[in-house]
């Protein structure tokens, strides 16, 4: 059978990660696969162990957790041909949603991994890589990179110990909205330039972010393109009103919202249009401040489905 590397986030899903990881290990081993647990005391340590194992010749890498674990896994396997298995037990699970994989069901998700390994079946999907313009290092992501009001809320939520889960984001929204002024953006999508005050810029390889917010309804994981959602200048009340519309994707019909599509995106601050945008997040993980270049790489990741 297959040699499978397993990386578990023990705190995913409000502490369900450790239990889920043991269940995945036992189920895959019981199916006859050789399972090597690569989980470490920190995600950075896990990434180092997994990176060494990838180079040593695994047949697949399986991550157990939420979108942060998928982000870690994509960064390890992108461009290598090594297939990635996803057991989604996090809070948001937007990557699993986009891939059509089970969410919150350890047994069903593990059975998908097992069946795909037995059949030698994997789906090729696009991934995006981002970094500062002209820099050599690039960080991979699967879902959505954003650098607007949502990113500011995400950053503040990460500093809060309570409440738990999605309630943290609601708690962080109030103070961020109180200090919000439209940011100054300069965004180039291939050869098209968008420059003005704005509320949100989302560079989407997949349709969802933030635990089910349908930010880019037409984004596809295998079309070779990025959908760039550009929300122009909203008042505080207007910004508060548009956020619920993200769940159904109807925000894209607002006249102040524009969607562009392309292979390469450059996002910069435009100080004469407003304050600098917040640091960008992708797959819920902090990427860093602008400027950033984002490039779609078709078929960069193979996923066990």
């Amino acid at each position: 059978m297959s040699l499978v590397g397993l990386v578990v986030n023990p705190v995913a899903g409000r502490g369900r990660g450790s239990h889920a990881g043991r269940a995945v290990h036992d189920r895959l081993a019981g199916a006859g696969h050789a399972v090597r647990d690569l989980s470490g005391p920190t995600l950075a340590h896990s990434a180092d162990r997994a990176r060494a194992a990838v180079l040593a010749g695994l047949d697949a890498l399986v991550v157990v957790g939420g979108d942060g674990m998928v982000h870690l896994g994509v960064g390890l396997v992108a461009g290598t041909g090594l297939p990635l298995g996803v057991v989604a037990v996090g809070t948001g699970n937007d990557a699993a949603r986009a891939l059509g994989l089970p969410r919150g069901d350890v047994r069903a998700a593990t059975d998908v991994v097992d069946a795909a390994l037995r059949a030698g079946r994997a789906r090729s999907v696009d991934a995006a890589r981002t970094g500062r313009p002209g820099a050599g290092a690039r960080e991979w992501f699967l879902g959505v990179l954003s650098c607007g009001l949502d990113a500011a809320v995400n950053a503040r939520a990460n500093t809060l110990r309570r409440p738990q889960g999605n309630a943290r984001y609601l708690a962080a929204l109030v103070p961020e909205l109180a200090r919000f002024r439209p940011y100054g953006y300069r965004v180039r999508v291939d050869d098209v330039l968008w420059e003005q005050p704005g509320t949100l810029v989302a560079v989407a390889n997949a349709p969802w972010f933030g635990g089910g917010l349908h930010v880019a309804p037409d984004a596809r994981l295998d079309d070779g393109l990025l959908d760039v959602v550009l929300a122009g200048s909203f008042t505080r009340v207007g910004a508060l009103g548009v956020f619920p519309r993200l769940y159904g994707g109807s925000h894209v019909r607002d006249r102040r919202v524009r969607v562009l599509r392309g292979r390469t995106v450059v996002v910069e601050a435009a100080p004469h249009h407003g304050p600098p945008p917040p640091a960008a997040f992708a797959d819920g993980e902090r990427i860093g401040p602008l400027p950033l270049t984002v490039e779609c790489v078709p078929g960069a990741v193979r996923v066990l489905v």
Side-chain angles (χ1 to χ4, degrees):
M1 282 297 177
S2 302
L3 174 59
V4 179
L6 183 67
V7 185
V8 179
N9 181 1
V11 300
R14 304 180 192 178
R16 296 191 300 270
S18 291
H19 177 75
R22 289 192 296 270
V24 173
H25 186 288
D26 292 348
R27 194 162 184 82
L28 288 176
H33 303 288
V35 183
R36 183 183 300 171
D37 191 347
L38 304 172
S39 307
T42 66
L43 290 184
H45 190 243
S46 296
D48 289 341
R49 294 182 64 183
R51 189 173 294 109
V54 167
L55 295 174
L58 295 175
D59 295 310
L61 180 69
V62 177
V63 293
V64 182
D67 290 318
M69 288 303 294
V70 177
H71 183 81
L72 182 149
V74 166
L76 292 168
V77 306
T80 69
L82 183 72
L84 178 69
V86 176
V87 179
V89 294
T91 303
N93 297 326
D94 291 309
R97 181 182 283 107
L99 290 162
L101 294 172
R103 290 173 280 139
D105 188 332
V106 174
R107 183 170 185 156
T110 308
D111 286 350
V112 168
V113 171
D114 174 45
L117 287 170
R118 290 175 182 275
R121 181 180 65 244
R123 175 188 173 190
S124 292
V125 298
D126 306 337
R129 56 187 174 190
T130 184
R132 297 184 69 81
R138 291 288 187 270
E139 183 163 353
W140 291 91
F141 68 91
L142 186 72
V144 180
L145 179 144
S146 61
C147 51
L149 179 57
D150 61 300
V153 172
N154 197 344
R156 181 179 288 268
N158 287 344
T159 69
L160 302 178
R161 299 186 65 180
R162 293 183 181 180
Q164 297 295 312
N166 287 333
R168 281 194 308 164
Y169 296 93
L170 294 176
L173 175 61
V174 175
E176 284 302 323
L177 197 61
R179 65 197 293 265
F180 168 71
R181 285 198 304 123
Y183 311 110
Y185 289 106
R186 181 184 299 108
V187 182
R188 185 174 294 278
V189 182
D190 290 346
D191 295 326
V192 179
L193 180 65
W194 182 86
E195 183 176 340
Q196 65 176 74
T199 304
L200 176 147
V201 169
V203 183
N205 185 47
W208 291 279
F209 77 160
L213 295 173
H214 209 181
V215 65
D218 295 325
R220 297 292 180 267
L221 280 168
D222 55 5
D223 63 359
L225 295 171
L226 299 165
D227 284 36
V228 185
V229 181
L230 307 162
S233 182
F234 283 80
T235 64
R236 293 185 181 96
V237 173
L240 183 62
V242 82
F243 264 79
R245 297 174 62 188
L246 286 166
Y247 283 99
S250 63
H251 62 288
V252 297
R253 297 196 292 269
D254 190 292
R255 60 180 178 79
R256 293 162 292 185
V257 178
R258 186 177 180 187
V259 181
L260 300 174
R261 308 185 81 208
R263 287 284 300 273
T264 303
V265 182
V266 180
V267 188
E268 302 173 278
H272 54 288
H273 285 305
F281 281 72
D283 299 335
E285 301 298 306
R286 189 180 189 277
I287 298 298
L290 303 182
L292 290 171
T293 296
V294 186
E295 176 191 8
C296 181
V297 183
V301 175
R302 300 175 68 232
V303 182
L304 297 170
V305 295

